Amino acid sequence: MSDLQNDRVKPYAGIEHAQRIGLGVEQCAERVSRFGYAAKQLMFAQAGKMSSVANWEFKAMVGRGLWECAQHWGQWRARIGEMRGHEHLIDRHAEGPLYDLFQELLHSNGDAEFATGLYGVILPAYRAALLRYTGETNPLVDQPTVRLIRHMVLDLDDHLAFGETALAAIEPAHRATAAAWQAHLEQYLAAAGGIDGTSERLPSFQLPPPRSQGDFRIPGDYARDARFATTLPKINPFDNEKVHEPLLSKMWVRSQEMTAAELCATVLFEWDDLPYEGCLDLARHCWDETRHGLFGQAALEAEGIPLETLPSWVGYAKHTMPASPPKRYSHLAIATEAGLMRHPGGKRGEWEWCKDEAKHPLMTTYQDFDWADEVNHVAYGREWLIRYYCKGDRAKAQAMADETVAERLAYYAQFATPADAR
Ligand SMILES: [Fe+2]
Ligand SMILES: [Fe+2]
């Protein structure tokens, strides 16, 4: 016997509309396959574009967006497997109008067009399709999907709130081209029948000619907006020998980790046969390095030093982009990060120094989490470069990483810079 008034307690585990007829499993699985494909392509499109986005704030948001979309993709992969389907149903859309839509998105020119495609066309359509699904499916039989969507929409609402600021910031001179690009992409979306395929399809012969002619290629440079003065060699503007400057020097080094994030994004986009789990790790690695860059920016800002007053290092693109994606990744995950695990010194040493020597609470927090993230990055390198790519041959992976170090030294040899600036 319960000591509650039974008829006052909410029924059906708090789920409303339990008697809605809803959609069938097959219909749901079809939509879920399209959502999975959209999430996957949102991850890849942001990975492909991140390094060429120039605006610093937009670049950082793309770093976050691609990781959150990578997680959504994984959730859809799992869910479709629970609906008498298979994750391969997601990849069926790789030949069809949804694919064409994302190819066009990749061929956006400049920040304004890409922001328009992402925040003005595709993400709003994806969000609307998710809400349409929850409005139509039976919320009791399909509760796992309804719950997934509720959580994803929280992420997408953050992306769209950010996106509104980017769209409002389009230079007046570029508003007309952005509007024309929006109309172009909306027609490609209409040809797909919307993200969920429920709208009437625009016949493909009515589509404007595609901008995309063949595969999208990531440019060989990492873009910065006009506020920044870029530098090819990594010359720290602060002098470690001067009082107070070692701390600022560390902040600057953190801020330049955006280049490591850009490297991860390019590897994620270009590494063809990387399994889902590898894509998820690469996406996370990218977002971690983006955050490390923002740690540096925030720490400098707290000292009254705006990031754009300091040089922005972009030479990293020059000596890593010519390498294959796994080799490029080995420069970061093996040649650089694995060495930072050694103590004394290394990542733990940086944290100890900020805590005990500099006694700087904010940098102590940043370095603490930076160290935690870096431990994971070394594990990603072990998994995807040593175990997966080199089939467990540690020496082969190390040789590949060593080659990137030699290539880096050879690249910076053209600049008269101190050895520790390379
Ligand atoms: Fe980092
Ligand atoms: Fe890292």
Side-chain angles (χ1 to χ4, degrees):
M1 187 127 77
S2 173
D3 52 4
L4 300 180
Q5 299 171 49
N6 297 320
D7 56 354
R8 296 186 65 180
V9 184
K10 195 165 185 187
Y12 301 116
I15 295 167
E16 290 172 2
H17 310 296
Q19 287 142 349
R20 183 190 293 161
I21 302 297
L23 309 170
V25 170
E26 205 174 315
Q27 247 179 317
C28 288
E30 169 59 19
R31 289 202 208 176
V32 165
S33 75
R34 296 176 69 102
F35 297 154
Y37 189 71
K40 175 182 181 177
Q41 290 303 314
L42 279 163
M43 181 205 76
F44 275 115
Q46 292 180 89
K49 297 300 271 185
M50 186 193 183
S51 60
S52 45
V53 166
N55 173 263
W56 179 265
E57 288 75 17
F58 185 17
K59 190 188 289 288
M61 188 65 203
V62 168
R64 173 182 164 187
L66 66 88
W67 176 59
E68 293 182 353
C69 290
Q71 289 189 96
H72 298 172
W73 171 26
Q75 287 156 345
W76 290 128
R77 286 174 87 240
R79 184 62 187 139
I80 201 162
E82 298 165 352
M83 300 176 105
R84 301 198 298 264
H86 191 277
E87 65 189 73
H88 291 154
L89 293 175
I90 291 175
D91 288 316
R92 249 179 340 131
H93 302 289
E95 286 175 35
L98 276 180
Y99 171 83
D100 298 338
L101 170 67
F102 283 99
Q103 284 303 300
E104 290 303 286
L105 175 66
L106 274 169
H107 286 81
S108 305
N109 288 329
D111 291 1
E113 280 195 1
F114 185 51
T116 299
L118 200 54
Y119 304 120
V121 180
I122 295 182
L123 283 173
Y126 180 37
R127 183 183 185 280
L130 293 175
L131 295 182
R132 185 156 46 244
Y133 183 104
T134 56
E136 294 180 9
T137 195
N138 177 305
L140 177 62
V141 298
D142 199 10
Q143 189 273 346
T145 316
V146 172
R147 178 184 170 276
L148 265 186
I149 289 176
R150 275 178 56 203
H151 288 81
M152 284 176 191
V153 167
L154 287 176
D155 289 343
L156 298 185
D157 282 348
D158 269 10
H159 299 192
L160 287 164
F162 169 87
E164 266 176 42
T165 71
L167 296 177
I170 295 176
E171 293 275 8
H174 291 272
R175 282 186 196 147
T177 45
W181 187 238
Q182 172 152 355
H184 178 89
L185 292 174
E186 278 168 352
Q187 290 178 81
Y188 277 80
L189 178 66
I195 295 291
D196 57 8
T198 60
S199 310
E200 203 178 321
R201 291 179 192 218
L202 179 76
S204 52
F205 65 82
Q206 287 183 18
L207 279 176
R211 191 184 279 176
S212 119
Q213 308 282 344
D215 287 345
F216 170 76
R217 291 258 153 258
I218 297 179
D221 297 309
Y222 296 166
R224 293 291 177 271
D225 66 59
R227 290 169 296 179
F228 294 90
T230 57
T231 172
L232 290 174
K234 191 177 187 182
I235 301 174
N236 197 312
F238 300 105
D239 187 344
N240 272 320
E241 303 306 314
K242 289 188 189 156
V243 188
H244 304 313
E245 292 210 356
L247 188 62
L248 298 176
S249 158
K250 273 196 177 45
M251 294 173 181
W252 182 80
V253 172
R254 291 285 75 76
S255 74
Q256 302 308 302
E257 290 192 60
M258 189 63 92
T259 55
E262 290 168 300
L263 180 143
C264 290
T266 67
V267 172
L268 172 59
F269 184 78
E270 291 182 353
W271 192 338
D272 277 340
D273 57 350
L274 195 63
Y276 170 74
E277 294 75 9
C279 291
L280 183 65
D281 285 350
L282 257 295
R284 177 54 187 267
H285 198 163
C286 174
W287 172 226
D288 286 354
E289 302 301 358
T290 304
R291 287 188 296 109
H292 299 172
L294 302 181
F295 295 173
Q297 177 188 3
L300 287 162
E301 211 171 83
E303 302 295 316
I305 306 171
L307 186 61
E308 59 266 29
T309 60
L310 304 174
S312 191
W313 175 53
V314 291
Y316 208 44
K318 297 283 183 197
H319 57 89
T320 57
M321 287 304 284
S324 71
K327 184 175 175 184
R328 193 183 311 150
Y329 191 47
S330 77
H331 186 64
L332 178 63
I334 297 178
T336 309
E337 295 177 322
L340 293 172
M341 291 300 114
R342 275 189 282 275
H343 188 261
K347 283 288 153 189
R348 177 174 163 187
E350 285 182 332
W351 167 71
E352 286 170 343
W353 186 87
C354 289
K355 180 167 67 77
D356 303 328
E357 303 286 323
K359 297 187 184 352
H360 193 283
L362 183 59
M363 268 309 269
T364 302
T365 303
Y366 287 157
Q367 290 292 160
D368 202 4
F369 279 81
D370 177 271
W371 173 23
D373 291 339
E374 293 305 329
V375 174
N376 301 326
H377 301 169
V378 175
Y380 300 159
R382 269 200 304 268
E383 184 66 16
W384 302 111
L385 291 167
I386 300 175
R387 294 199 190 103
Y388 177 75
Y389 184 71
C390 293
K391 301 188 168 45
D393 187 341
R394 184 176 294 269
K396 187 177 166 193
Q398 188 62 51
M400 178 167 72
D402 291 345
E403 244 180 63
T404 68
V405 175
E407 285 162 6
R408 180 177 183 143
L409 286 173
Y411 174 74
Y412 289 118
Q414 64 183 299
F415 304 100
T417 53
D420 66 353
R422 291 167 182 170

